[in-house]
Amino acid sequence: MLFEIDKNSDFSIHNVPFGIFSTENSQKRLGTAIGDKVLDLKGLAELGFFNALDIPLSVFGNDYLNNFIGLGKTKTNSVRTLIQSLFQSDRLKEYPHLWYHLKDVKLHLPVYSRDYTDFYSSQEHATNVGRMFRDPANALLPNWKHLPVAYHGRASSLVGTEVGIYRPKGQVLPKGAQQPVFKATERLDFELETAFIIGKDSEQGSPVSTAEAEDYIFGMVLLNDWSARDIQQWEYVPLGPFAGKNFATSVSSWVVTMEALEPFRVRGPVQDPEVLPYLMYEGNKNFDIRLQVSIRDQGGIKTEICRSNFKYMYWNMAQQLAHHTVNGCNVATGDLMGSGTISGPEKDSFGSMLELTWNGTQPLTLNDQSERSFLLDDDTVCMTGYAEKEGVRVGFGELSNTVLSAKG
Amino acid sequence: MLFEIDKNSDFSIHNVPFGIFSTENSQKRLGTAIGDKVLDLKGLAELGFFNALDIPLSVFGNDYLNNFIGLGKTKTNSVRTLIQSLFQSDRLKEYPHLWYHLKDVKLHLPVYSRDYTDFYSSQEHATNVGRMFRDPANALLPNWKHLPVAYHGRASSLVGTEVGIYRPKGQVLPKGAQQPVFKATERLDFELETAFIIGKDSEQGSPVSTAEAEDYIFGMVLLNDWSARDIQQWEYVPLGPFAGKNFATSVSSWVVTMEALEPFRVRGPVQDPEVLPYLMYEGNKNFDIRLQVSIRDQGGIKTEICRSNFKYMYWNMAQQLAHHTVNGCNVATGDLMGSGTISGPEKDSFGSMLELTWNGTQPLTLNDQSERSFLLDDDTVCMTGYAEKEGVRVGFGELSNTVLSAKG
C-alpha cells in the first residue's frame, strides 16, 4: 500500500469517489480522495495509466464529472478498480506530484445538473411536518404512501462545499397579520438529504423501470436543501416551494459510486398499502448510511445536533426514478435527485431545525451554551455521512457552508 | 424592399425574430423569419455582413441562440436593425441561396434553458381554478395578490414545435375511490402561455430590481404547458405539480425581441392591495399580444377554441423577475420564464381545456361536430400570437404539437 489510511477515514481504498478539484497552480480537474489525500486523475491519465481503457484525455480535465460519468459504468468502474490496484501496488511511488493533501486543494461542485429534483421520501419527516402544520391525527396526506412525492428544484443555485449562503430576503406573513412584510428570513434552516446522480440519459417518452433504475444511477452525494421557513410557509400553497428554497442548495464534493455502496444494502421498510406495479421492486434497495449534522458557531465550537440514517427512507431511489420517468419525463447524465429531508424515528434524528426545535418552540442548546431556534448568521452547517460494516468504511467527507448576513 | 410581405404575416420587417433552423443539407444555424421566408444568418455572417459588429462567426452556427443572446442587447439589436436595412435596400438581391421558404426548413427549440420557471400570473386563470377546485367564494388564495406565485418546471422535457407529445401515464385517483390506479391520462390538456427568455446572467445573492428587469429580458415565445389534470390533481398537494406536467412543455420557434414588442406596451391592471416596494414599477409593462388556440383534429379540420390576450396578466414580467431573484436566486441567459395560463374575462378567452369545458362538464363542439372535454390522441394543438397596431404587425408564428397515443 502506498501509505497508511486512518481507519476512520471516509476515503478508504474501498471508496475511491470522484470529484473536481483545483489547486493554486492548476485548473479544475478530476480527482479521487484516498485517506487525507487527493489523487490527480488528469495527471494519472496523462502518464498513460488509463490507456488500455480508451478514454479521451480531455475527460479528466473537465470542469465537471459529466463527461466522465457519461463514459458508462463499465469504463468508470474500470478506472475505480484500476486506482485500487495501483494503490495497493507500488507503481505510483515515483509520482509524488500526483498527490495533494485534501486541505490544500479547492473542491468544486462535482457535476453540472441540468435538472434538480427533490423528493419528500422520509415518512418521519413528512409526518413531522404534517403534525406541525396540518392535522396531527392525519399527518400524512392521502397520496404520500402511494407515490414518492417530489418537486422540481432550482438548478442554477446549486453550490458546492465552503460556498457561503446569503440569508435570503422575501415575503413573510407575520403571525396574525393580514398583509405580508418584506424582510430577511428569521427562520433559516438546513435540510439533511442525500442525492443520487443520474449516470445515463433516458429518452423522452420512455419510462425507466425499477428493475432498470440502478443502471441509471452513478452515485451519491450529501445535499443541504437550504430553506427559509417563513418565506416558504407564505408562498407554498398551491404550487409548492419556490423562493423559500431556490436561493441555494449545496452539494458535497465527492461522488461515492453505487459500487462502493454495494456492501451496505439493507431491506427497506414494508410498504403498506401495497404499491402499484410500476413501483414494485426486488432485492434490497435501501442503504445503511449514517448521517450527521453539526453546527459550528461563530466561535468555532462544533455541536452535533442530528444523527440520522439513509436506511429510514420509505421510498428508495429505484422507485423515485421509476416514478419520475413513468410519464415519459426524460433524465440526463448529471441530473440530481434529492432524497428529501432524512429524519429518523428519534427526536435527535430529525433532519432539520424545523423538526429538531419543533417549529422553533424547543430551541437547541449548543456546546457554547447559546440557543438556536433557527440558524444565525455565521453559523456553519456541517453534514457528514458514512457507511461502515465489518471494518469497511465508505463516506462522503464533509459538506460545510456558512450562513452570511443578508446582502444589501 | 427585397420582396413583398403579406400584411397579415407575423414576420413583418418590424419583427425580425431569431430562431434555429436546419435544412436537408445543412445543420442547425441561426436564422430570422421575414414574411414566408427564412434568412440564413450564418450564411450572411460568412459573407461578412456583420463584420463591423465584431461577432465571432461561430455564434451563428450554434445549435441554440444562447451565445448570440449572450452578446448583449447592443450587439443583438444591431444585428436586427442591420437586417432591417439590408432588406429595405437591394444588397441581398444577389444572394438568393440565403433564403429558404419557411415550409422547407426544420425549426428547432430556439434556446437551451438550464432552468424553466412557470408563473401563475393570470387572475382570471387562478380564479377559475380556485372556483372549480376550492372555494368559489374565495377563489384566490391569500398570497395570490401579494406575490407572483410560481413553481419550477422541468427543463429536460422542453421541446419545439412539431414534436409529438406522448400521452403520459401515471397515478390517478378515480372519483370516490380510496386507492389510485395507474393508467394513461384521460384529462390531457394544454395551457396557453407566453414565456420570456433571460438575456443576461445575474449573480447569486444579487436581486434584479423591477427597474433593471427589462435589461435581463431578451425576448418572448409562445409556450404550451402540457398538463395531465387527473395525474396533477392526485399528486399536487403539498409540493405542487410534478408528473402531471413534466412529461413535456413545448415552445415556439421564433424569439420575438422586446424591441420588436416595444410599440405594443399597455398599462397593466391596477394592483389592489398595493404591492410591497420591491414589486412596484414604473411605466407600462404589459403588452397587447393577441393569442389564439386551435385544435386540428385527426381529419385535419381546425377549430379555434380560444382567443385571449397577454395584456390581461395581473403580474408583469418585470415583477416576476424581481420576485424570482429577490431572495438571491440567480438566473442565466436562456432561462425560460412561463407566464402561466393566460385566461381572459370571457368564457372563450380561457386558456386551457380545464377552464373552457369547466373541468369537462361542458364539452366543446369542434367544427367536425365531434366533442372534446379534454384532448384526444391525434389532436394537434396550435397556438398563435401577434401584436398589431397602426398597420404594424409582429407575431410568433405557430406552435403546433400533436398528441400521440401512450407508449407501450
Side-chain angles (χ1 to χ4, degrees), chain A residues 146 154 171 243 246 327 335, chain B residues 146 154 171 246 327 330 335:
Chain A
H146 293 285
R154 179 82 190 173
Q171 285 197 27
N246 66 15
N327 65 347
D335 282 357
Chain B
H146 293 285
R154 179 83 190 174
Q171 285 197 28
N246 66 14
N327 65 347
N330 51 326
D335 281 358

Side-chain angles (χ1 to χ4, degrees), chain B residues 319-366:
Chain B
Q319 291 178 309
Q320 290 171 337
L321 186 54
H323 180 68
H324 204 317
T325 59
V326 75
N327 65 347
C329 182
N330 51 326
V331 296
T333 302
D335 281 358
L336 195 68
M337 304 282 177
S339 58
T341 307
I342 302 170
S343 294
E346 308 299 332
K347 195 170 168 7
D348 65 357
S349 66
F350 295 170
S352 64
M353 294 294 279
L354 178 73
E355 294 162 87
L356 288 164
T357 70
W358 211 252
N359 198 19
T361 60
Q362 301 165 27
L364 299 176
T365 302
L366 303 190

